[in-house]
Amino acid sequence: MDELDAEIVRLLQTDARLSNRELARRLGVAPSTCLERVRALARRGVIRGYHADIDLQALGRGVQALVSLQVRPLSRTVIDRIQGDVAGMPEVLSVFVVAGGDDLVLHVAVPDLDHLHAFLLERLSRRPEIGGFRTSVIFQHVRSTVLERLGDPA
């Protein structure tokens, strides 16, 4: 990835709604050059899609939590099955398979603490392959919206 590609990625992360013409203008290149570069970044998998940033509070999902799961028996088959099942639950925003004392971490968003409690008791604790879980309520969430390629470690 050269400097032009990196700048395209940075600008699109800042505003994915930029037209190709505006993107080319900001980069100081021809629109055809810009379009080909963006398409090449998409073909290479650098740009995987364009997304709207949604306010969870506005959707009535103002309570977020991280739920760490321990899986029993611990096997790839069981983890894959649980990962697929929980990823389809409407409360779940993200599923992470992790190393350490926990096997999966779920990022969930619900309307209130009563809904979170119900989700934990009615959706998770009834699953026999979930040996235990811990929940951390998120008070604030700050996310980096512009990612850059990291250089080689010194």
Side-chain angles (χ1 to χ4, degrees):
M1 215 165 87
D2 64 14
E3 288 182 30
L4 182 58
D5 287 342
E7 188 63 9
I8 289 170
V9 169
R10 187 189 70 73
L11 287 169
L12 288 176
Q13 287 180 98
T14 303
D15 183 358
R17 295 179 63 167
L18 287 173
S19 69
N20 183 65
R21 184 178 309 273
E22 177 61 19
L23 187 58
R25 186 190 69 72
R26 291 187 188 186
L27 295 166
V29 299
S32 59
T33 300
C34 184
L35 184 59
E36 182 52 39
R37 289 293 192 113
V38 170
R39 286 179 176 166
L41 287 165
R43 278 193 306 272
R44 292 183 2 228
V46 176
I47 297 174
R48 297 188 308 181
Y50 302 88
H51 309 280
D53 185 13
I54 306 299
D55 180 357
L56 291 171
Q57 183 75 34
L59 291 180
R61 296 172 68 163
V63 172
Q64 295 180 61
L66 297 175
V67 182
S68 302
L69 304 178
Q70 298 85 43
V71 175
R72 302 296 173 259
L74 185 58
S75 73
R76 179 176 296 279
T77 303
V78 175
I79 287 177
D80 288 347
R81 183 175 60 242
I82 292 175
Q83 179 183 16
D85 290 349
V86 297
M89 295 178 178
E91 300 87 353
V92 177
L93 302 177
S94 300
V95 180
F96 303 93
V97 177
V98 298
D102 301 314
D103 303 306
L104 294 138
V105 175
L106 313 179
H107 179 195
V108 301
V110 293
D112 52 42
L113 290 174
D114 288 336
H115 280 86
L116 178 60
H117 189 229
F119 171 75
L120 297 171
L121 291 179
E122 296 168 14
R123 305 292 293 279
L124 294 184
S125 70
R126 292 184 180 180
R127 299 206 51 153
E129 64 269 48
I130 296 178
F133 57 85
R134 290 172 307 146
T135 304
S136 299
V137 173
I138 299 171
F139 292 122
Q140 295 180 354
H141 177 205
V142 177
R143 182 172 58 98
S144 178
T145 58
V146 178
L147 303 175
E148 297 179 25
R149 185 174 177 189
L150 299 176
D152 294 328

